[in-house]
Structures are given as structure tokens and as C-alpha cells.
Amino acid sequence: MATATAPTFDKGLANTVAAETQMSFIDGGKGVLEYVGIDIDSLARNSTFEETVYLLWNLKLPTRAELDAFCTELRAEYMLPAEMDALIRQFPRSTPPMHALRTMISALSMFDREADVNTPEANRRKALRIVAKTPALIARFDRHRKGKPFVDPQPDLTIAQNFLLMLNGELPTDAMAKALDVCLILHADHGLNASTFAARVTIATLSDMYSAITTAVGTLKGPLHGGANEEVMHMLNEIGTIDKVDAYMAGKLERKELIMGFGHRVYKAYDPRATYLKTFAKQVAADTGNLNLYEMSRRIEEIMDKAVAAKGIFPNVDFYSATTYYSLGLDLDLFTCMFALSRNSGWCGHCIEQLKGNRLIRPMADYIGPHGVPYVPMAERR
Ligand code: CMC
């Protein structure tokens, strides 16, 4: 199909619609996020991560029997191939976890005989495997770098429970598992964000789902995207105590520096993922003796509200998820891995969607260099 209209340059693709999706809807002006038409706040309060993944992939809430069958399928895929365990043990212990995760997702393809089969059925099976195995990848790498023995997943536990079990070597409390589960629901899908776009670009070449998810993990890692939650925690640690917040923020705003965990390309109202998370983060922080972090965050939000809310800059999902993950005892450099653990479900769903009626995604670049430049032989160059 020929391009119908003259191409326009749209820096950052902010005004370009590059895909159709049935999974999530965002109204950035009103601060609305829905998965398959269901408000995110209501999902965070009432759903589970497993049910949310089912919703995204099947475009409907499951019946009890459908959810049970889906969980059984997922749980059958929790374990890693023994070769993956051996591979993880070879990684340098100093490897940043997002580098390890990107490599581990990519490596999983070598143990999947369907890696290059792009039928919807095979891709659904691969999506299940990727979502089910990622918790073990992250937990095993973390145990390896700390010189601890691997802990196997238990087939009767949820993804959130299992991840915390495999990471810490002990069963989490219900409150801890619930806190992680809520974060997983909130991060599962979000329109054509940068990492999802990257995944769709990769799968649209008819590459394979492992390549697409590997691309997405690499894209998520940046501090302007998924890496912001870790940066928020670095900022809170740098500030230290609540009495230092005002001076710290005054300096940052004076120097016009970015405040991590604030602002969004799409939301110019309060990020609806942050609404419930804010209340939830307070509870988790109080339960775990980290209320000081929550209070520092609240003060930062008050200052930002006065300084930049008029420009449409509010806390985003990463701001209060940082306190929540810290309160759960996660190392800072695992925060973005938590985002990936959840967003896997959105990425895989988008790959399957993209392949229905696929077209290569190939925008244009506006060439701004010279023309007609003569080739100068090496000896004559200066
Ligand atoms: N702190 C201070 N000022 C900000 C911030 C911030 N966090 N974000 C945007 N602004 C200002 C920016 O300086 C600009 O000001 P001016 O008009 O005076 O030049 C204005 O707001 C518009 O910003 P922009 O850079 O055009 O916005 P963008 O849509 O290109 O960028 C963003 C969006 C998320 C990259 C940016 O807000 C940012 O860098 N935020 C901090 C990083 C962060 O928290 N990222 C996580 C995003 S949510 C999770 C996810 O989905 O990835």
C-alpha cells in the first residue's frame, strides 16, 4: 500500500498513531487507564496478576474454571531448563540485573523448540513460558550473585508468591505477596509505550517472540522509561531525611533538572496507576517501618505540585512503586526487573496482536546532511 499523505516529521513520535490495540486504553488528559475497558483502579483493587494477564490475552475476564485452567498452564511452565541454571551460574556476579535479564530472556529461546514458529498457538505457548519463567530468571540471578543456592518454584503458588519465595528463600506474608501482585497488575500494559513499540517493531519483521521481548527489555532499561523507579529510590536515599527535602528540591528545580518519577509523555493529569499505589505504598511502608520514605515522597509531591503541576507534571507509576519495592526488601537494581516481570504480559500480547494483519514498521528519517560530496582518497584527507 502506498503512503497516502506527505510524510511529516514528528520528533519522539508523540503525535503518531503506529498501531491498533484492544488491550489498554489511555486518556492522558483525564488520567484514565483501562485494560480491555476495565478501569485500572478497579483491577488493582480486585483482580490478581494472573487474572489480568488472562484479560489482556483473551480480551475478557475469565470464569473460575478458565482462570484455574490458565493458572495450571502457567504453573506447569514455572521451572527453568537445567541448562539455564548452568548458564546463569556463569554470569559475572557484578552484572547489573537488567543486563542479566535481557541476556536470560534471549537465552531461553535456545531451549524452546518452537522459538521460530510464529503461529498464534505457538506464540501463545511462548508467551506463557516467558511470563511463567521470568520470575525464576530474576530470582536465580539474584541468588547467584549473592552466592546463595537456588530455590525452586512451587506449583501451588502464584507468580508474586513464587517470585518472593525464590528470591528470599522463604514464603512471603500475604501482605507482601499482595503488594507485589498490585504492582504487577499496574505495570502489565500501557498502550504503545517505548518498550512495547520496540517489541512490535521487532515482531513485525517476522522475527520471533524471544527476540521481541529481548528488544523490549533493553528498551525498558533506560531511566526515561522503566529505569525511573530505581532512580527515584536513589533520589530518596540521596536526600536521606525529610528535613532535607525542601533544600534538595529547591536546588534541583533551580538547575532545571528532571525529577525522576514525575511527568509522562501521555498523562497530563495524575497517572491513574499512581492513585491507588500512593495509598498502598503508605500502608506497605507503615507495615515495614519505612514510613519516613513515604513521607519524604509526599513532601516531594507537594513541592512538585506547586512548582510544575500547572505544566501537567504529576507523579507517575514509578514514583510510589519505588517505595513499595523498597519496603518489600528488594534491592534497588531489581526494581526495573519487576517492571519487566509484569510488562512481559503486555509485550507478548502486543506481539500476538501485531502479527494479526501485520505490516513491517518502517518510518522514515529526514536526511539533514550534505549532498554531492566527492570521495577524497585517504592520502589527500586532512
Ligand atoms: N521533572 C521536571 N520537569 C519535567 C519532568 C520531570 N520529571 N518531566 C518533564 N518535565 C518538564 C520538561 O523539562 C519540559 O519543560 P519545558 O517545557 O519548560 O521545557 C516539560 O516538562 C515537558 O517535558 P518533555 O520532556 O517534553 O516531556 P516528554 O513527554 O518528552 O517526556 C518523560 C516524558 C517521562 C520522559 C519525562 O517526563 C521524564 O523524563 N520524566 C522523568 C523520568 C520518569 O519518571 N520516567 C518514567 C515514566 S512512567 C513509566 C513508564 O511508562 O515508562
Side-chain angles (χ1 to χ4, degrees):
M1 195 184 7
T3 307
T5 50
T8 50
F9 179 39
D10 178 14
K11 192 170 183 181
L13 302 182
N15 295 304
T16 299
V17 178
E20 289 181 315
T21 183
Q22 292 182 287
M23 293 195 292
S24 56
F25 166 78
I26 305 167
D27 182 334
K30 293 192 183 130
V32 172
L33 170 61
E34 295 169 348
Y35 292 167
V36 196
I38 304 176
D39 183 59
I40 191 65
D41 200 67
S42 140
L43 285 167
R45 286 173 199 276
N46 302 304
S47 188
T48 60
F49 180 56
E50 284 79 355
E51 184 182 68
T52 298
V53 178
Y54 184 99
L55 171 69
L56 291 170
W57 291 357
N58 296 281
L59 308 177
K60 70 183 257 303
L61 285 172
T63 62
R64 167 56 55 202
E66 285 167 338
L67 182 59
D68 288 347
F70 183 64
C71 290
T72 303
E73 280 187 288
L74 272 173
R75 290 167 187 200
E77 294 288 351
Y78 276 171
M79 278 298 281
L80 298 182
E83 296 91 334
M84 270 307 295
D85 286 355
L87 192 64
I88 293 167
R89 289 196 173 95
Q90 304 299 312
F91 289 1
R93 291 184 176 185
S94 57
T95 308
M98 281 298 281
H99 285 274
L101 181 61
R102 190 193 57 233
T103 304
M104 292 186 289
I105 296 269
S106 178
L108 272 184
S109 71
M110 296 188 282
F111 309 106
D112 189 333
R113 277 175 293 165
E114 294 190 298
D116 269 324
V117 186
N118 256 339
T119 60
E121 298 74 26
N123 276 332
R124 186 182 176 280
R125 287 190 288 274
K126 283 182 276 180
L128 266 169
R129 287 177 200 134
I130 290 169
V131 168
K133 291 185 195 311
T134 297
L137 294 177
I138 301 167
R140 269 159 158 61
F141 172 69
D142 190 63
R143 306 250 334 156
H144 159 68
R145 69 175 173 162
K146 290 175 177 158
K148 294 180 179 172
F150 292 169
V151 177
D152 283 342
Q154 288 184 14
D156 55 330
L157 298 182
T158 66
I159 287 188
Q161 288 173 317
N162 246 316
F163 173 70
L164 292 170
L165 167 74
M166 291 186 286
L167 187 77
N168 299 326
E170 59 187 38
L171 269 175
T173 63
D174 288 348
M176 283 174 78
K178 172 72 185 157
L180 180 58
D181 203 60
V182 166
C183 289
L184 298 183
I185 293 170
L186 292 171
H187 285 87
D189 191 42
H190 205 234
L192 205 58
N193 59 89
S195 54
T196 300
F197 181 55
R200 287 188 83 131
V201 169
T202 301
I203 202 77
T205 69
L206 302 185
S207 180
D208 70 286
M209 191 175 268
Y210 288 101
S211 297
I213 306 306
T214 304
T215 308
V217 174
T219 308
L220 182 75
K221 176 175 162 287
L224 295 188
H225 190 8
N229 52 17
E230 182 179 339
E231 297 301 324
V232 170
M233 203 58 231
H234 284 302
M235 173 174 73
L236 293 174
N237 282 341
E238 201 183 325
I239 299 173
T241 49
I242 190 147
D243 55 303
K244 301 203 176 103
V245 171
D246 287 38
Y248 178 92
M249 289 296 292
K252 282 279 224 192
L253 290 168
E254 169 81 25
R255 295 188 298 276
K256 296 198 178 308
E257 287 174 12
L258 282 178
I259 309 297
M260 290 297 161
F262 281 82
H264 200 274
R265 169 59 61 81
V266 180
Y267 294 120
K268 300 305 166 196
Y270 211 93
D271 182 337
R273 300 169 296 177
T275 315
Y276 178 51
L277 199 55
K278 181 169 152 181
T279 321
F280 201 75
K282 181 178 184 183
Q283 189 56 51
V284 179
D287 290 350
T288 54
N290 288 300
L291 209 50
N292 60 322
L293 288 177
Y294 175 80
E295 277 158 3
M296 278 162 63
S297 306
R298 282 286 301 129
R299 182 67 196 139
I300 294 171
E301 187 182 340
E302 275 168 21
I303 295 168
M304 287 296 276
D305 196 50
K306 287 203 185 77
V308 290
K311 286 208 279 186
I313 300 168
F314 296 96
N316 57 49
V317 68
D318 284 331
F319 192 58
Y320 286 103
S321 60
T323 317
T324 310
Y325 291 144
Y326 185 84
S327 300
L328 285 177
L330 296 180
D331 288 350
L332 271 54
D333 58 5
L334 290 180
F335 288 12
T336 311
C337 291
M338 297 299 95
F339 198 151
L341 194 159
S342 162
R343 187 59 59 85
N344 260 336
S345 57
W347 293 330
C348 291
H350 276 269
C351 286
I352 293 169
E353 245 185 359
Q354 178 63 36
L355 289 176
K356 292 181 199 151
N358 181 52
R359 192 173 187 218
L360 180 76
I361 300 173
R362 205 303 190 183
M364 287 169 275
D366 195 11
Y367 176 69
I368 54 167
H371 294 281
V373 179
Y375 181 82
V376 180
M378 184 69 79
E380 295 170 26
R381 289 181 211 164
R382 298 203 255 136

